[in-house]
């Protein structure tokens, strides 16, 4: 502004300087001080609008973003009105004198319609009853006064009405969904309390007999059918779909009442099995009669024990059905079909209901945030509109917003209190503080010490790595030659293994940083606990600390070799480094992110035992990472063989290569990640019935064949050419070039991870799925079902 306007602000008498500047028409940098103040006010308004926009975007629920008030679109409409007002004001200033302004202002004040304007204001908002009960009330604004630009103002209020109607509709839909889910959970809780009381009474009735205490204590009830009926749920979904189809209009979003979860156990898919219909649900269901109620018990097949029990039940049921048909003793068969509920099953049912209450409470909390943020957005945009147009719209329209359904309904607040009371009573033994740790978990605070140590260990790593590279270059270790084969065959695989591992982990930290910046809810997708999940700073700290330790130990190892120590004297150092990392990984003490280490080991267990475990997002995501870490797994296998067999004592690095079992295991390691991934695809098809998983199964089976037959590697994977040809570049050892090619594959996988999770987030946002739908154990059914 200083380049075209010159005003002396240094004088204490600003009024004289302003007058002098205003009347100095000969000054080429002449401008009006009033214009400067107006420009400054305009900039401050824009800064406040931008500031609230960032706050609004940072606090909204990412999966519900499309259901929130489109504050950015309203801002565009408001800027358009502001621009047209400025243009009109400039034109009117040049054409009209102050007398004309005062005359027309007085005439407008004494017009025949002045009383009407004072009574209703500049606008009037009409409330219309919608034709469908799913849609709720509709609002439409009518302009009663002449605005500077009527067309732009009409478009602004049309957009504002559309946003209000959208918010009301979504809130009504989600409120109904959560209330229905809450009613189901309360019924589940009643059934669980009855079953637990019956179980305790039976335990008391048995007494303290030593013989019976060894037996599996359980309660039994006669079941009437084993088929898992979904008639009620299908009717409910069909009714909601019809309701949504009636509400579909042009340029209007449709919100599903019961969004489907990505959890495999929640979908009504079936798997092959025995019996007359040849099908069995993955939620293993049986119906029992307990205290006059027909109750179906669903046990998700999430563990190998439940999977095997379901299979054994199928076989046993087939044998019973065949024997009953031959002998005609249906009554005897029915007497043998007892539904046993032991302590472990009741405990599992209690955990399922507990998770359901936690997710319900989270959803109700999201709905409160949704209401408060939308109210604030309406208030801010109306306040900006009043400043731009000079009208008093805020009290009129805000009164309508406050009286609308999404703000006036108090069902969510009351029901949230009821959910907390039920949870405190049934799952926390009347300890409210303990209950709030589950219902309202506090976020782990980020410490500045983490950032400090990241910088410290990163500096150490850079210095040590530079020293290691210079020493290796001087000694010529990485050049082609037999004199360096001992080091390249024994110590270098350890460095290569850790480099690929923590490069992948570093890229995961970069992914977390990018996911947070783009508002991708990776914690919800991976089902990570908010108090235990790793932040990107934690990941960077682990990577920098680990690589500084690895490079430091390798630098020490190389220094000892350069000082004349033999390989036999220092060969145990890389092995001790490898052993130290294994001990830290399985350390039971609460140090170095124990919860994350335990979760990692559980995921690896689930992958190895595929397809016995139900496949969740984190499991097959980690299995995909292993598919890109085949070179690291080969190095891991070799290092383990080298040190376990004691070959490091004699530097007989060729012993593992000469062993038949090791060569067979090397082939197995090459295609094990693809086998695990293929089994996961099979299990997901088994659970969900989606044929797309069969296509993925074929892809990974072909990769297994390629890994087993290496004259085919170059036709399928370009990066595998190096593992076949063992070529070197400019006299560099082929192991070094293999490391770089493997690192490129890891980088490619890290880039793929971001887009893979972004796609999952878009699927959740498309279905407005911000909380998980937990499968429930008990279902009351009618006799006809």
């Amino acid at each position: 502004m200083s380049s075209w306007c010159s005003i002396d602000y240094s004088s204490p008498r600003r009024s004289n300087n302003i007058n002098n500047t205003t009347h100095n028409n000969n000054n080429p940098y002449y401008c009006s001080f009033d214009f400067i103040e107006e420009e400054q006010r305009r900039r401050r308004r824009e800064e406040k609008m931008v500031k609230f926009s960032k706050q609004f975007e940072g606090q909204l629920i990412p999966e519900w973003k499309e259901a929130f008030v489109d504050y950015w679109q309203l801002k565009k409409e408001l800027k358009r009105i502001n621009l047209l007002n400025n243009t009109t004001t400039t034109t009117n200033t040049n054409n009209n004198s102050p007398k004309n302004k005062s005359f027309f202002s007085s005439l407008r004040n004494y017009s025949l319609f002045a009383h009407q304007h004072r009574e209703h204001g500049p606008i009037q908002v009409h409330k219309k009853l919608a034709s469908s009960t799913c849609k709720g009330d509709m609002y439409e604004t009518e302009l009663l006064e002449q605005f500077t630009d009527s067309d732009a103002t009409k478009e602004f209020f049309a957009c504002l009405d559309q946003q209000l109607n959208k918010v009301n509709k979504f809130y009504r839909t989600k409120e109904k969904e959560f209330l229905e889910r809450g009613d189901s959970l309360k019924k589940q809780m009643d059934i669980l309390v009855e079953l637990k009381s019956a179980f305790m009474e039976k335990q008391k009735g048995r007494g303290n007999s030593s013989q019976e205490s060894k037996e599996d204590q359980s309660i039994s009830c006669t079941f009437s059918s084993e088929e898992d009926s979904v008639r009620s749920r299908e009717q409910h979904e069909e009714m909601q779909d019809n309701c949504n189809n009636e509400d579909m209009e042009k340029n209007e979003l449709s919100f599903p009442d019961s969004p489907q979860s990505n959890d495999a156990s929640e979908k009504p898919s079936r798997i092959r099995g025995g019996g007359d219909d040849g099908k069995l649900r993955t939620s293993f269901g049986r119906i029992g009669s307990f205290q006059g109620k027909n109750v179906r018990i669903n046990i998700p097949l999430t563990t190998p024990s439940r999977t095997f029990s379901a299979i054994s039940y199928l076989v046993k049921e087939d044998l019973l059905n065949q024997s009953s048909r031959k002998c005609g003793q249906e009554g005897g068969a029915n007497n043998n079909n007892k539904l046993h509920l032991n302590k472990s099953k009741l405990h599992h049912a209690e955990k399922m209901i507990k998770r359901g209450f936690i997710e319900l409470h989270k959803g109700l909390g999201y709905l409160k945030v949704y209401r408060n943020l939308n109210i604030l957005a309406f208030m801010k945009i109306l306040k900006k509109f009043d400043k731009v147009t000079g009208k008093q719209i805020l009290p009129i329209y805000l009164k309508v917003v406050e009286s609308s359904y999404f703000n006036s309904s108090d069902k969510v607040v009351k029901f949230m209190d009821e959910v907390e009371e039920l949870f405190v009573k049934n799952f926390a033994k009347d300890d409210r503080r303990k209950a709030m740790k589950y219902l309202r978990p506090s976020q782990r605070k980020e410490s500045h010490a983490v950032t400090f140590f990241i910088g410290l260990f990163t500096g150490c790593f850079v210095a040590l790595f530079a020293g290691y590279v210079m020493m290796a270059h001087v000694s010529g270790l990485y050049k082609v030659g037999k004199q360096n084969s001992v080091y390249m065959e024994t110590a270098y695989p350890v460095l290569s293994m850790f480099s690929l591992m923590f490069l992948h982990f570093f890229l995961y930290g970069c992914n977390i940083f990018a996911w947070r910046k783009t508002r991708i809810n990776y914690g919800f997708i991976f089902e990570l606990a908010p108090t235990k999940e790793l932040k990107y700073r934690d990941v960077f700290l682990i990577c920098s600390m680990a690589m500084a330790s690895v490079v430091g130990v390798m630098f020490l190892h190389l220094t000892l070799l350069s000082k004349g120590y033999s390989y036999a004297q220092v060969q145990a150092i890389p092995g001790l480094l490898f052993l130290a990392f294994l001990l830290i990984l399985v350390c039971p003490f609460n140090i170095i992110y124990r919860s994350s280490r335990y979760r990692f080991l559980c995921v690896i267990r689930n992958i190895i035992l595929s397809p016995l475990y139900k496949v969740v997002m984190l499991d097959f995501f980690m299995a995909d990472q292993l598919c890109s870490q085949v070179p690291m797994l080969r190095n891991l296998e070799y290092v383990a063989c080298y040190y376990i067999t004691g070959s490091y004592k004699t530097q007989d690095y060729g012993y593992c290569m000469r062993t038949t079992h090791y060569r067979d295991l090397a082939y197995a390691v090459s295609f094990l990640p693809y086998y695990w991934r293929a089994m996961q695809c099979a299990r997901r098809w088994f659970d969900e019935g989606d044929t797309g998983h069969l296509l993925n199964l074929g892809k990974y089976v072909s990769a297994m064949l390629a890994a087993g037959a290496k004259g085919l590697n170059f036709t399928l994977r370009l990066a595998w050419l190096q593992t076949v040809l063992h070529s070197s570049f400019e006299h560099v050892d082929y192991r070094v070039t293999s490391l770089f090619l493997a690192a490129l594959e890891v980088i490619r996988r890290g880039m793929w991870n971001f887009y893979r999770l972004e796609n999952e987030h878009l699927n959740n946002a498309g279905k407005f799925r911000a909380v998980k739908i937990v499968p429930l154990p008990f279902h009351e059914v009618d006799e006809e079902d």
Side-chain angles (χ1 to χ4, degrees):
M1 187 180 294
S2 60
S3 62
W4 57 273
C5 181
S6 176
I7 295 179
D8 185 11
Y9 291 99
S10 61
S11 176
R13 300 181 63 185
R14 177 178 294 180
S15 59
N16 294 336
N17 291 325
I18 293 172
N19 294 332
N20 294 336
T21 306
T22 305
H23 291 87
N24 188 8
N25 295 331
N26 296 326
N27 187 355
Y29 301 106
Y30 165 79
C31 68
S32 174
F33 190 78
D34 294 335
F35 178 78
I36 295 174
E37 289 183 338
E38 180 63 26
E39 187 70 16
Q40 290 176 347
R41 285 195 296 268
R42 184 184 65 81
R43 290 188 176 184
R44 285 195 295 268
R45 288 198 301 266
E46 290 181 354
E47 289 177 358
K48 289 181 180 179
M49 292 173 70
V50 171
K51 184 177 180 181
F52 175 74
S53 299
K54 292 182 179 179
Q55 293 177 352
F56 183 67
E57 186 176 10
Q59 295 178 12
L60 57 80
I61 295 96
E63 291 81 5
W64 293 356
K65 183 177 180 180
E66 295 298 326
F68 277 84
V69 173
D70 195 346
Y71 188 78
W72 302 269
Q73 181 63 31
L74 292 172
K75 256 181 33 174
K76 291 180 181 178
E77 299 289 341
L78 194 57
K79 286 182 178 179
R80 180 185 173 192
I81 295 175
N82 190 22
L83 180 62
L84 293 173
N85 286 345
N86 291 335
T87 305
T88 307
T89 302
T90 304
T91 305
N92 293 336
T93 302
N94 296 330
N95 296 332
N96 297 331
S97 63
K99 293 183 178 180
N100 293 333
K101 288 184 178 179
S102 60
F103 174 75
F104 285 114
S105 299
S106 301
L107 184 62
R108 183 173 64 249
N109 292 333
Y110 290 101
S111 65
L112 296 177
F113 302 97
H115 177 72
Q116 181 181 356
H117 292 166
R118 287 195 300 269
E119 181 180 356
H120 298 286
I123 64 170
Q124 185 176 5
V125 183
H126 300 284
K127 181 179 179 181
K128 301 188 301 182
L129 296 178
S131 58
S132 175
T133 56
C134 299
K135 199 170 186 178
D137 301 328
M138 304 293 291
Y139 295 91
E140 184 177 355
T141 303
E142 179 187 1
L143 304 183
L144 299 181
E145 287 188 3
Q146 183 66 28
F147 286 81
T148 305
D149 188 87
S150 300
D151 293 336
T153 306
K154 287 180 179 179
E155 291 181 5
F156 173 80
F157 280 106
C159 183
L160 194 65
D161 294 337
Q162 182 185 8
Q163 298 302 316
L164 179 58
N165 295 330
K166 178 182 71 173
V167 169
N168 276 318
K169 177 184 175 184
F170 181 81
Y171 187 88
R172 189 187 296 270
T173 301
K174 282 297 176 181
E175 182 187 68
K176 181 180 178 182
E177 175 191 340
F178 289 139
L179 291 178
E180 289 179 353
R181 193 185 303 185
D183 292 338
S184 299
L185 280 170
K186 287 192 291 186
K187 293 179 181 178
Q188 296 283 313
M189 197 69 245
D190 293 339
I191 297 174
L192 179 64
V193 170
E194 291 180 2
L195 290 176
K196 288 177 68 175
S197 61
F199 185 81
M200 295 299 295
E201 290 177 0
K202 189 169 185 179
Q203 279 187 326
K204 293 179 181 179
R206 286 181 174 178
N208 296 324
S209 174
S210 59
Q211 181 178 358
E212 291 185 354
S213 62
K214 297 180 182 179
E215 297 178 357
D216 185 19
Q217 299 179 358
S218 63
I219 56 177
S220 303
C221 52
T222 307
F223 74 91
S224 57
S225 174
E226 81 253 12
E227 180 62 25
D228 188 6
S229 175
V230 290
R231 181 183 306 172
S232 59
R233 179 168 181 175
E234 289 177 350
Q235 291 176 351
H236 175 72
E237 293 179 352
E238 183 179 358
M239 180 185 66
Q240 299 296 346
D241 291 340
N242 294 334
C243 183
N244 289 331
N245 291 332
E246 293 176 359
D247 295 339
M248 287 292 289
E249 293 182 356
K250 188 176 181 180
N251 298 327
E252 188 173 352
L253 293 174
S254 176
F255 309 113
D257 284 358
S258 300
Q260 296 296 324
S261 174
N262 57 351
D263 194 353
S265 63
E266 302 161 18
K267 298 187 177 181
S269 306
R270 299 172 181 262
I271 60 178
R272 298 290 178 181
D276 294 337
D277 56 355
K279 296 179 181 179
L280 171 72
R281 287 197 175 277
T282 55
S283 291
F284 183 59
R286 302 180 69 182
I287 298 178
S289 176
F290 179 73
Q291 294 191 3
K293 298 179 181 178
N294 289 330
V295 180
R296 182 176 65 247
I297 294 92
N298 287 344
I299 304 176
L301 307 181
T302 55
T303 60
S305 60
R306 297 191 189 112
T307 304
F308 286 130
S309 65
I311 295 175
S312 62
Y313 168 76
L314 278 178
V315 175
K316 186 184 299 183
E317 190 65 24
D318 285 341
L319 294 176
L320 289 175
N321 289 336
Q322 291 176 3
S323 61
S324 62
R325 288 171 185 169
K326 291 180 179 179
C327 303
Q329 297 176 353
E330 295 182 358
N334 290 331
N335 291 330
N336 293 329
N337 292 336
K338 296 287 184 178
L339 178 60
H340 297 276
L341 288 177
N342 53 22
K343 188 175 182 180
S344 61
K345 290 182 180 180
L346 288 176
H347 180 67
H348 178 70
E350 184 177 5
K351 287 177 62 177
M352 293 174 66
I353 298 174
K354 180 180 179 180
R355 287 181 59 199
F357 272 106
I358 293 174
E359 292 296 324
L360 175 62
H361 188 272
K362 185 191 299 183
L364 295 173
Y366 283 165
L367 210 51
K368 288 181 64 178
V369 172
Y370 178 80
R371 180 183 61 187
N372 296 334
L373 285 180
N374 283 317
I375 282 287
L376 189 58
F378 279 117
M379 186 183 303
K380 288 288 184 179
I381 202 66
L382 290 171
K383 187 176 180 181
K384 302 305 178 186
F385 181 85
D386 287 355
K387 288 185 177 180
V388 169
T389 61
K391 304 288 185 178
Q392 296 297 323
I393 301 298
L394 175 63
I396 302 174
Y397 202 94
L398 188 60
K399 184 177 180 181
V400 176
V401 173
E402 290 177 347
S403 62
S404 62
Y405 184 83
F406 86 97
N407 185 64
S408 60
S409 176
D410 60 347
K411 295 180 181 179
V412 170
V413 178
K414 293 181 179 179
F415 194 66
M416 196 172 183
D417 295 336
E418 185 180 355
V419 169
E420 290 180 0
E421 292 177 0
L422 287 173
F423 194 90
V424 170
K425 178 181 178 181
N426 296 286
F427 301 106
K429 297 180 180 179
D430 294 330
D431 188 350
R432 187 171 184 83
R433 181 177 297 180
K434 180 181 178 181
M436 291 301 107
K437 290 181 180 179
Y438 293 99
L439 297 178
R440 298 176 183 175
S442 57
Q443 294 287 340
R444 186 161 49 90
K445 296 182 179 180
E446 297 183 356
S447 174
H448 294 290
V450 175
T451 306
F452 169 76
F453 282 110
I454 289 175
L456 176 64
F457 286 117
T458 301
C460 295
F461 165 72
V462 172
L464 291 170
F465 184 73
Y468 176 82
V469 169
M470 288 188 291
M471 187 172 292
H473 177 71
V474 171
S475 59
L477 288 177
Y478 292 161
K479 294 182 179 180
V480 179
K482 293 184 178 179
Q483 65 275 12
N484 302 321
S485 58
V486 176
Y487 182 86
M488 297 302 297
E489 292 286 354
T490 58
Y492 182 76
V494 177
L495 178 62
S496 176
M497 175 184 63
F498 283 117
S499 300
L500 291 175
M501 181 187 304
F502 288 107
L503 172 63
H504 208 143
F505 201 49
F506 172 77
L507 293 174
Y508 174 69
C510 296
N511 285 330
I512 293 179
F513 179 79
W515 290 331
R516 290 189 62 181
K517 288 297 181 181
T518 53
R519 301 281 293 160
I520 295 176
N521 196 353
Y522 68 95
F524 170 69
I525 296 175
F526 287 145
E527 300 181 22
L528 302 176
T531 57
K532 299 179 181 180
E533 64 172 317
L534 290 177
K535 310 294 185 181
Y536 68 92
R537 287 189 178 90
D538 299 322
V539 175
F540 291 155
L541 176 61
I542 294 173
C543 292
S544 58
M545 180 173 59
M547 286 309 300
S549 303
V550 170
V551 176
V553 171
M554 299 306 296
F555 179 76
L556 174 64
H557 178 261
L558 192 57
T559 302
L560 294 177
L561 287 177
S562 63
K563 288 185 177 181
Y565 286 87
S566 64
Y567 280 100
Q569 293 175 308
V570 299
Q571 200 62 270
I573 294 179
L576 292 175
L577 175 67
F578 176 64
L579 180 62
F581 273 90
L582 286 180
L583 292 177
I584 292 175
L585 182 62
V586 298
C587 178
F589 302 107
N590 192 14
I591 57 173
I592 315 179
Y593 304 102
R594 183 183 65 173
S595 60
S596 299
R597 291 187 284 108
Y598 177 76
R599 183 68 183 272
F600 174 77
L601 293 175
C602 290
V603 171
I604 295 298
R605 176 204 62 187
N606 296 349
I607 294 173
I608 293 176
L609 296 180
S610 298
L612 298 180
Y613 281 94
K614 186 190 71 172
V615 182
V616 296
M617 176 69 186
L618 189 58
D619 292 345
F620 71 79
F621 186 85
M622 180 62 70
D624 281 327
Q625 313 309 306
L626 294 178
C627 290
S628 296
Q629 285 285 10
V630 172
M632 186 272 293
L633 294 176
R634 289 175 178 171
N635 288 330
L636 175 62
E637 177 201 12
Y638 177 79
V639 170
C641 176
Y642 182 72
Y643 285 99
I644 290 176
T645 58
S647 301
Y648 70 97
K649 297 179 181 178
T650 58
Q651 290 81 53
D652 187 9
Y653 55 84
Y655 173 78
C656 293
M657 297 295 183
R658 297 190 301 267
T659 305
T660 305
H661 298 292
Y662 174 83
R663 292 199 300 268
D664 296 338
L665 186 60
Y667 280 108
V669 169
S670 299
F671 64 80
L672 265 180
Y674 306 105
Y675 166 78
W676 291 329
R677 193 65 187 91
M679 292 298 100
Q680 286 181 339
C681 292
R683 176 60 190 260
R684 295 190 70 186
W685 171 78
F686 193 72
D687 290 343
E688 304 171 20
D690 187 0
T691 56
H693 298 311
L694 292 179
L695 299 178
N696 285 333
L697 175 64
K699 179 180 70 174
Y700 289 110
V701 168
S702 65
M704 291 166 53
L705 297 177
K710 287 189 176 181
L712 297 177
N713 282 345
F714 67 91
T715 62
L716 297 176
R717 296 275 184 173
L718 183 62
W720 289 358
L721 284 173
Q722 178 61 27
T723 62
V724 178
L725 301 178
H726 290 175
S727 59
S728 59
F729 298 96
E730 296 183 358
H731 307 290
V732 179
D733 193 278
Y734 75 92
R735 300 174 186 84
V736 180
T737 56
S738 298
L739 174 62
F740 280 105
L741 290 175
L744 291 177
E745 168 61 19
V746 171
I747 294 173
R748 183 200 68 81
R749 178 64 67 178
M751 296 174 61
W752 177 87
N753 288 340
F754 175 82
Y755 298 111
R756 175 63 184 86
L757 217 68
E758 182 185 31
N759 179 68
E760 192 71 20
H761 172 76
L762 292 176
N763 291 334
N764 290 336
K767 299 178 181 178
F768 303 99
R769 186 166 52 202
V771 293
K772 184 180 179 182
I773 302 178
V774 180
L776 301 177
F778 307 117
H779 297 272
E780 294 185 19
V781 294
D782 298 331
E783 293 182 358
E784 60 181 7
D785 292 338

